[in-house]
Amino acid sequence: MRSNGLIIAIDGPAGAGKSTVARELARRLGYVYVDTGAMYRVVGLLAREQGIDAGNGAQLGELAGRLAIRFEALADGTQRVLVDSRDVTAAIREQEVGEWASRVSTRAEVRERMVAAQREIGGAGGVVLEGRDIGTVVFPDADVKFFLEASAAERGRRRHHQLLGRGEAADLRQIAAEIEGRDRRDQAREHSPLRCAPDALRLDSTGLSAAQVVDEMLRRCRDAERARGARQQKP
Ligand code: DC
């Protein structure tokens, strides 16, 4: 039962600006924001720390099944990510953890557990979920679906800027190569590959500001909210 509002899915490749717009869209709608990439990053981080092979599906699945991942909203609109009460917000953003996340997310055993957790968090509605497979697998009947893209060059520049902002050393060419490698792996994997759902609205954010993208998304969401309200009023 979706008593709290719509389920909104935002999918797309790394660096397309999903997090920024998803967070702002959720804020404007008064919805909960769920960063599903952060969940795969947590599995990647712990697998690396515990010396689990990125190809060992059984062990990774077991790890994913026992993690208690929590999101805690902060007053400034950002979120803390906690796993078993440990704050991993900064650790999961490291470039290398992104690589691990992409690798462990190819395993069906990991995906099964993450998808189940995401359905539990978002099932009641009033959520904006951001990821790679939200509109295709996690919530194929989501009320509004977006597929956010940007050129590879633009995505590389944004990631580079982000890393420099956090004081991390970053080489633009290396980042671009990593983004392309991650795209290939995310699109080519056997289980839930990154692809645009047939009923998703494709948006290309190259050359657009985050505010412009959010405005367009908000228009679509308001339309969907109105349509749902009208349906519910029918006898
Ligand atoms: O969005 P991100 O860069 O934080 O995601 C990290 C990795 O997690 C990404 O390379 C692929 C994976 N992922 C996924 O497979 N499915 C999702 N719904 C979200 C992320």
Side-chain angles (χ1 to χ4, degrees):
M1 247 312 268
R2 287 176 203 174
S3 50
N4 305 324
L6 307 177
I7 294 181
I8 298 165
I10 304 181
D11 292 305
K18 297 189 300 293
S19 301
T20 310
V21 300
R23 199 181 300 121
E24 178 59 13
L25 184 66
R27 194 187 68 77
R28 302 266 290 269
L29 290 166
Y31 283 11
V32 171
Y33 160 58
V34 185
D35 174 2
T36 64
M39 300 170 76
Y40 290 96
R41 284 172 180 267
V42 168
V43 179
L45 172 72
L46 294 188
R48 184 179 70 158
E49 285 178 357
Q50 295 177 17
I52 299 175
D53 192 301
N56 188 331
Q59 262 190 47
L60 289 171
E62 201 262 320
L63 169 70
R66 90 181 121 76
L67 295 179
I69 303 172
R70 261 190 326 117
F71 294 101
E72 206 179 79
L74 300 179
D76 65 357
T78 61
Q79 283 187 330
R80 282 205 312 166
V81 184
L82 302 164
V83 58
D84 302 324
S85 307
R86 171 182 162 205
D87 186 344
V88 293
T89 315
I92 60 168
R93 293 296 151 203
E94 282 173 29
Q95 187 72 5
E96 206 191 315
V97 175
E99 283 296 301
W100 270 83
S102 177
R103 289 210 183 90
V104 302
S105 69
T106 62
R107 309 301 315 193
E109 298 90 335
V110 172
R111 304 205 68 83
E112 244 168 58
R113 272 132 181 138
M114 294 294 111
V115 168
Q118 289 153 18
R119 286 182 180 151
E120 206 169 302
I121 299 171
V127 276
V128 177
L129 297 112
E130 169 222 328
R132 304 290 190 287
D133 61 341
I134 309 301
T136 51
V137 175
V138 184
F139 287 111
D141 62 344
D143 300 285
V144 189
K145 299 180 186 179
F146 299 105
F147 193 82
L148 191 62
E149 298 171 294
S151 70
E154 171 93 8
R155 293 187 287 126
R157 272 196 299 276
R158 286 181 191 162
R159 243 324 111 97
H160 184 239
H161 188 72
Q162 229 173 32
L163 290 172
L164 291 183
R166 289 207 296 263
E168 287 183 43
D171 177 70
L172 182 55
R173 244 190 298 170
Q174 190 190 338
I175 289 170
E178 277 170 8
I179 281 193
E180 280 173 27
R182 201 121 78 81
D183 284 354
R184 266 196 301 278
R185 195 182 304 123
D186 293 348
Q187 285 161 2
R189 71 182 175 216
E190 184 188 349
H191 308 289
S192 315
L194 169 68
R195 61 183 174 79
C196 179
D199 52 347
L201 176 73
R202 272 182 192 271
L203 287 174
D204 187 336
S205 72
T206 314
L208 292 182
S209 68
Q212 287 172 311
V213 177
V214 172
D215 283 347
E216 175 61 22
M217 289 180 162
L218 204 53
R219 253 195 305 279
R220 303 279 173 157
C221 294
R222 297 276 188 228
D223 286 349
E225 277 184 334
R226 267 194 297 276
R228 195 171 79 137
R231 270 200 308 277
Q232 281 173 346
Q233 275 177 5
K234 275 194 191 149

